[in-house]
Amino acid sequence: MEFLTLGIQCLSLLILFSTTSSLSETLHTIPRLTPFYRSNLRRPESSSFNILPQEFKTYYYNQTLDHFNYRPQSYATFKQRYIVNSKYWGGAQSNSPILAYLGAESSIDYDPLDIGFLTDNAPHFKALLVYIEHRYYGESIPFGTTEEVLKNENIRGYFNSAQTLADYAEVLLYIKKKYWAQDSLIIVAGGSYGGILASWFRLKYPHVALGALASSAPILYFDNITPQNGYHSIVTKDFREVSESCYQTIRKSWSIIDKIASKPDGLSILSRKFKLCQDLNSSRDLKNYLVLRYSVAAQYDAPPECPVTEVCGGIDGAPKGSHILDRILAGFFASERNQSCYSVPTGTGIWGWTWQCSTFGVPPRPHWITTYYGGQDIKLVLNKFGSNIIFSNGLRDPYSSGGVLENISDTILAVYTYNNIFCLGVVGSHCLDILGESKTDPDWLTEQRKREVDIIQGWITKYYADLQAKPSRSRRQIN
């Protein structure tokens, strides 16, 4: 199987704010690649009720299980869910475009509501909106639940990014045929892991998608192309920019936690202090959990919550002379919703992402991603063979350390926040640009989205000019 590891995402890592530079500590619970991790923590993976406005219609495509082999099982099909909104579409007669959101490591139940960039700009582009669910997530699971199929050695091998991209191509070509829209161009978009998929889709299927918007897509975080501690370096930087004393408190807390845990009944004491739903098995479990919370805070450090500021406000706002652990507790409770108890993630709940990160005891292919999509020379590959890709990043997003932060060519462009200060001023957090517009958006975010729209409009304008210049072949002309 491929080894879909983004360095910091699934490999062993240095604990944040460590007192040393040792890699002796390993982490397994850090933010997965998703545009809206904080809300996904509290939402069901799939809904049994319709939560979407009426203009969003849900369909199911009979998807091929295996696009690349001809064994009998390869011809099996499963139901792949996709959602269409035609409210703003100009129609096939005018060759109006199709904006397709490529689903990632969760169901697409909430994507049409959360990914506001598409609905906000659909009237401008007169676009047909399409949202496609990633295989093995949500309702698009072949032959059972995710847990069941991933325990089935004959089925789980079809769960990889190459098959997923082929799924998207097949669904999009089907939609063009269904809507008699053969000359309607397609722009794909995605955030985080989905942003990686969007950029890869443009490279692998340029005949299907005219361009791609890849938001917060760390495509350089494979095979040591970029430093593997880059993610946590930015988390550390984010906290230090907000408060040096907050950073120092967190840094000193790790040894305090270990010291308390080593005492008789120490783990029970820590479990009660942090209101955990189950007793800790080791101090490492608590430290991993805290690192997860700090990483989430940095990754999604955006108004109105400004979670890094929330955490540090709690830590620095503790009564003068408070014990370090009491200050950590104040920061912890300041950033968490009030609950009767808090569950420490085990890493087993997200079955699909666990498989993609290769923890099922299956020998991985750690270099396959860079072999298939481009390796150490990925920027050269993009320059020579790619076009029409927007790589957008927020520089306070830890994943930006694996993102494309400079223009590769005239048509492969990096859009990101230049002024890099903390939350209540200017901030660039994970996938913020593809979320919905808000009256409280800072000017830089409005300008970033406008630039992305202008770039996409340029692609569309050129496409229409090229289409008009072609000899007529009984084609419906653009109105």
Side-chain angles (χ1 to χ4, degrees), residues 290-312:
L290 290 173
V291 170
L292 172 63
R293 301 319 311 167
Y294 300 143
S295 299
V296 168
Q299 188 166 312
Y300 302 95
D301 191 31
E305 293 89 354
C306 296
V308 172
T309 302
E310 278 186 334
V311 173
C312 285

Side-chain angles (χ1 to χ4, degrees), residues 124-138:
H124 169 77
F125 291 120
K126 297 182 179 180
L128 181 72
L129 303 182
V130 179
Y131 307 79
I132 310 174
E133 194 162 64
H134 192 299
R135 62 166 53 198
Y136 290 75
Y137 289 105

Side-chain angles (χ1 to χ4, degrees), residues 5-291:
T5 297
L6 304 177
I8 49 79
Q9 177 64 33
C10 309
L11 290 180
S12 299
L13 295 175
L14 160 68
I15 276 200
L16 288 178
F17 320 116
S18 175
T19 55
T20 71
S21 60
S22 168
L23 293 175
S24 60
E25 295 281 5
T26 58
L27 304 177
H28 301 286
T29 51
I30 52 180
R32 62 190 172 108
L33 280 166
T34 175
F36 21 78
Y37 182 79
R38 290 172 68 86
S39 57
N40 272 356
L41 282 175
R42 301 177 177 89
R43 289 177 174 174
E45 272 299 292
S46 184
S47 298
S48 58
F49 55 91
N50 185 11
I51 62 166
L52 299 175
Q54 291 184 350
E55 61 262 28
F56 293 95
K57 307 297 183 184
T58 299
Y59 302 94
Y60 296 86
Y61 178 74
N62 286 326
Q63 187 58 264
T64 305
L65 178 63
D66 183 3
H67 298 282
F68 306 111
N69 286 287
Y70 297 90
R71 294 174 296 183
Q73 189 175 18
S74 298
Y75 292 90
T77 61
F78 66 96
K79 297 291 186 181
Q80 183 167 23
R81 182 167 53 155
Y82 67 96
I83 297 171
V84 175
N85 181 349
S86 60
K87 178 179 179 179
Y88 308 101
W89 194 39
Q93 292 293 330
S94 59
N95 301 311
S96 294
I98 298 169
L99 298 183
Y101 183 75
L102 305 185
E105 74 284 14
S106 64
S107 74
I108 58 169
D109 289 319
Y110 296 90
D111 288 356
L113 299 179
D114 288 333
I115 305 301
F117 184 89
L118 270 65
T119 48
D120 290 342
N121 293 292
H124 169 77
F125 291 120
K126 297 182 179 180
L128 181 72
L129 303 182
V130 179
Y131 307 79
I132 310 174
E133 194 162 64
H134 192 299
R135 62 166 53 198
Y136 290 75
Y137 289 105
E139 295 183 18
S140 303
I141 304 171
F143 321 127
T145 67
T146 306
E147 182 178 355
E148 290 170 346
V149 299
L150 291 182
K151 290 180 179 179
N152 186 330
E153 295 180 356
N154 295 320
I155 300 298
R156 66 188 183 191
Y158 301 107
F159 187 5
N160 59 67
S161 62
Q163 297 280 7
T164 299
L165 295 184
D167 289 344
Y168 295 150
E170 196 165 309
V171 170
L172 289 171
L173 291 176
Y174 168 77
I175 288 173
K176 291 186 73 170
K177 183 177 180 180
K178 177 181 177 180
Y179 286 87
W180 296 86
Q182 295 304 317
D183 288 331
S184 290
L185 61 95
I186 295 173
I187 304 292
V188 296
S192 207
Y193 167 49
I196 295 175
L197 293 175
S199 64
W200 286 344
F201 190 86
R202 171 59 184 164
L203 288 174
K204 291 295 185 180
Y205 295 91
H207 56 291
V208 178
L210 178 75
L213 170 58
S215 176
S216 297
I219 65 164
L220 306 181
Y221 239 136
F222 298 95
D223 245 0
N224 297 310
I225 296 174
T226 55
Q228 295 299 285
N229 66 346
Y231 182 98
H232 283 148
S233 294
I234 293 181
V235 176
T236 300
K237 179 175 177 288
D238 289 350
F239 274 81
R240 295 193 82 164
E241 285 180 345
V242 170
S243 169
E244 178 68 21
S245 62
C246 173
Y247 156 75
Q248 292 293 345
T249 299
I250 294 172
R251 184 181 66 83
K252 294 173 183 176
S253 70
W254 307 123
S255 60
I256 301 295
I257 291 173
D258 285 334
K259 184 176 180 179
I260 294 174
S262 66
K263 295 179 179 180
D265 205 32
L267 291 175
S268 294
I269 293 172
L270 290 171
S271 299
R272 289 195 299 271
K273 269 186 169 291
F274 282 88
K275 295 174 61 177
L276 301 182
C277 300
Q278 295 178 325
D279 283 345
L280 294 165
N281 293 318
S282 69
S283 62
R284 171 186 164 135
D285 291 341
L286 177 58
K287 291 190 292 185
N288 282 356
Y289 182 39
L290 290 173
V291 170

